[in-house]
Amino acid sequence: MADIADRSAVELAADVRARKLGVRDVVAACLARIEQANGILNAVCTLNPAALADAEAADRRLAAGTPARLLEGIPFLVKDVIPTRGIRTTYGSKLHEHLVPDEDAVSVERLKAAGAILLGKTNTPEFATDVYTTNAIFGPTRNPWDARTTAGGSSGGSGAAVAAGMAPLALGTDFGGSVRLPAAFCGIVGLRPAPGRIPLYPTDFAWDTLVAHVHGPMTRTVEDTALMFAALAGPDDRDPSSLPADGVDHAAAGRSRTTLAGRRFAWCGDLGGLVPVDPEVMRVTNQAARALEGLGAIVEDVAFDASDLKEIIAGTRAFAMVARFAELVEAHGARMAEPLVRQVTDARAFDVKAVARAERLRSAYYHRLRALLERYDHVLTPTAGVPAFRIDRSLPTEIGGRPVERFYDTFLFTYAFSVTGLPAISVPCGFTGSGLPVGLQIVGRRLREDTVLESAAAMAAAAPGYFRRPPLDRLPAARDLHEDLRTSGFSLT
């Protein structure tokens, strides 16, 4: 059954629909993979005790002649900041260690309605506020490509689990890059859709003022990402910011084998010198970008002006941190992660005037980017400026032999497009000399997830070698792994 866990959702759905595979067999194979690898990777933090029973019920429905749905019998995992009815949802926080929601998030509800089987929850930093996945309840999540390195964050549990074959589909959340960064570090696909494309409910903020959180699919193939997105997208009155249906067949966009003839790509390798980039990452992503020319694309170097991005992020993120967590820190700061408490403390230094200035800058920044995308169909960047970093060591102080003042600046590529609400996808595009995956970010025009998926699918079809499985047989024993793992947390300043 082990090979079942390595198959794509599209393949599994076809075999379940044709009754070549039972849903119970598929779910059992994924649970066996969790049993095999999770003791080391620590990607799944809570299992759904009813997963096999749900699978057996699906088999009975299919045997009785009920037509298979879009994701019939496909196992999925959910980041532990997304509510799941009847299954513990901790938000990675001791404050909610025993919280069991009484309703599903809309995204979970829709995957279940499409026939998918919930396996459980995936690990996250406390309240999804860091690019490194650990918390006081469950501890650190490790990367299946090298267990000494991070799986990224804040959807690191989802990224590691999908890469390791624990499920073909996982839900993540993305604010500054929390779907795309783990996707890059773990060698999988992660999509940040436009805000409102996948409705958010329940949530404390019906209108997610300034930079929006979104839910996004994480899978091993572009085609699976598109299929999952097709099940997730569409309006819902419980989210007043949700977008109307666009009439696009998103699943078909992920199956595209277009040549990309005439499609124009702006290559922004370091955002005008703003982002420190490891030379290996630059080499791999630049080669992948140039390879698109072989599919008929036009790829041009562009020195996009992102000089005010840090000030935009500082002000808009400060607003979000105070809005979401200031009261919690006031009441329970002693029980919360120190990096999160520090982020909230730093955020309090920003007054309304500073937030308003950041928002004005963001508006001008968006219009510069909009003008660029009038000349190009896509922007291309590395997803992250570095490959997965070691978690048994302090954060690096230099990149490519050059000192860096703030290591976390290497993650500005994703945040650069979160602040604009443009759809963006991270796809595997090669490996470092030490065998760590590297991600390429493809950004599209406003509300054009379909073209983002088309371009990603064309790249995947042309370079299948980018889409590999990590060598799980090389994972070390848990006793051999270092446990004193701390990072500074995302800094506002």
Side-chain angles (χ1 to χ4, degrees):
M1 291 204 306
D3 62 326
I4 294 177
D6 290 322
R7 299 179 64 191
S8 73
V10 167
E11 293 167 340
L12 293 172
D15 279 353
V16 166
R17 188 174 297 112
R19 305 300 291 146
K20 295 178 180 178
L21 267 179
V23 176
R24 192 187 193 285
D25 292 336
V26 176
V27 170
C30 288
L31 290 173
R33 181 62 60 84
I34 293 171
E35 177 69 21
Q36 171 196 352
N38 199 56
I40 297 167
L41 300 179
N42 193 33
V44 176
C45 55
T46 301
L47 285 172
N48 174 14
L52 283 174
D54 292 344
E56 291 164 357
D59 279 329
R60 288 193 296 271
R61 287 194 300 272
L62 292 170
T66 303
R69 294 163 288 180
L70 184 66
L71 298 175
E72 194 70 59
I74 306 305
F76 74 103
L77 291 160
V78 175
K79 184 177 179 179
D80 201 27
V81 296
I82 300 175
T84 44
R85 179 171 56 86
I87 298 176
R88 181 172 63 159
T89 301
T90 73
Y91 297 83
S93 176
K94 297 291 284 185
L95 305 182
H96 298 312
E97 186 171 4
H98 305 294
L99 175 65
V100 178
D102 58 8
E103 62 181 335
D104 284 326
V106 171
S107 52
V108 176
E109 183 182 281
R110 287 186 171 178
L111 293 175
K112 288 181 177 179
I117 306 293
L118 176 60
L119 289 186
K121 309 302 288 289
T122 55
N123 205 22
T124 176
E126 188 169 20
F127 294 110
T129 54
D130 203 349
V131 297
Y132 167 67
T133 295
T134 190
N135 59 63
I137 305 173
F138 304 113
T141 293
R142 301 176 182 279
N143 193 317
W145 289 94
D146 182 343
R148 300 169 301 174
T149 66
T150 181
S154 59
S155 306
S158 292
V162 168
M166 297 180 191
L169 309 177
L171 266 177
T173 66
D174 193 305
F175 181 57
S178 290
V179 161
R180 290 160 289 164
L181 290 170
F185 283 179
C186 296
I188 64 169
V189 181
L191 174 69
R192 177 188 164 95
R197 189 69 80 195
I198 299 173
L200 298 186
Y201 175 87
T203 177
D204 289 339
F205 298 94
W207 292 271
D208 205 353
T209 309
L210 304 185
V211 179
H213 283 75
V214 302
H215 291 183
M218 303 177 72
T219 76
R220 292 191 296 269
T221 72
V222 175
E223 195 171 1
D224 281 0
T225 291
L227 184 71
M228 187 178 180
F229 181 55
L232 290 165
D236 190 295
D237 284 347
R238 290 170 290 182
D239 179 353
S241 298
S242 62
L243 296 170
D246 60 3
V248 173
D249 186 343
H250 294 291
R255 296 191 298 269
S256 172
R257 297 298 181 263
T258 177
T259 64
L260 302 184
R263 196 169 290 197
R264 299 177 64 86
F265 293 79
W267 167 245
C268 300
D270 60 6
L271 290 183
L274 181 73
V275 185
V277 183
D278 180 274
E280 275 201 285
V281 169
M282 183 63 78
R283 174 185 57 79
V284 170
T285 53
N286 187 53
Q287 286 179 352
R290 302 303 166 185
L292 295 175
E293 294 174 332
L295 303 176
I298 300 165
V299 181
E300 296 178 346
D301 290 346
V302 173
F304 178 69
D305 177 15
S307 56
D308 49 3
L309 178 61
K310 291 183 183 180
E311 187 174 357
I312 292 167
I313 293 172
T316 56
R317 188 178 178 89
F319 179 91
M321 295 303 294
V322 171
R324 286 179 169 80
F325 307 120
E327 291 182 3
L328 281 176
V329 168
E330 288 172 1
H332 307 288
R335 299 175 59 200
M336 299 174 71
E338 188 274 334
L340 172 55
V341 173
R342 188 174 61 256
Q343 288 183 68
V344 174
T345 301
D346 290 347
R348 289 181 179 279
F350 289 78
D351 58 17
V352 174
K353 183 178 178 181
V355 173
R357 172 174 165 78
E359 186 66 357
R360 282 196 298 271
L361 290 173
R362 183 165 77 117
S363 298
Y365 173 86
Y366 168 76
H367 288 298
R368 292 200 304 274
L369 192 54
R370 176 187 56 79
L372 179 66
L373 286 167
E374 288 177 353
R375 295 186 285 123
Y376 295 93
D377 299 285
H378 297 289
V379 176
L380 294 176
T381 74
T383 306
V386 292
F389 55 89
R390 293 282 292 265
I391 55 176
D392 55 352
R393 299 174 180 172
S394 299
L395 284 176
T397 57
E398 60 178 41
I399 295 172
R402 295 185 177 182
V404 288
E405 182 179 349
R406 296 196 328 160
F407 179 74
Y408 274 41
D409 284 350
T410 61
F411 308 123
L412 290 173
F413 285 120
T414 54
Y415 223 135
F417 302 98
S418 291
V419 299
T420 66
L422 297 176
I425 195 168
S426 178
V427 291
C429 70
F431 295 83
T432 67
S434 61
L436 291 174
V438 176
L440 181 73
Q441 180 174 228
I442 305 173
V443 182
R445 292 172 176 165
R446 194 174 78 90
L447 305 182
R448 294 305 304 269
E449 291 91 350
D450 58 326
T451 65
V452 168
L453 289 165
E454 286 172 358
S455 292
M459 175 179 160
Y466 295 156
F467 294 76
R468 301 181 198 165
R469 302 285 185 266
L472 297 182
D473 58 335
R474 299 180 192 172
L475 289 175
R479 65 179 180 272
D480 297 329
L481 297 172
H482 197 281
E483 291 298 331
D484 185 20
L485 310 171
R486 300 190 180 117
T487 65
S488 60
F490 195 99
S491 174
L492 289 166
T493 56

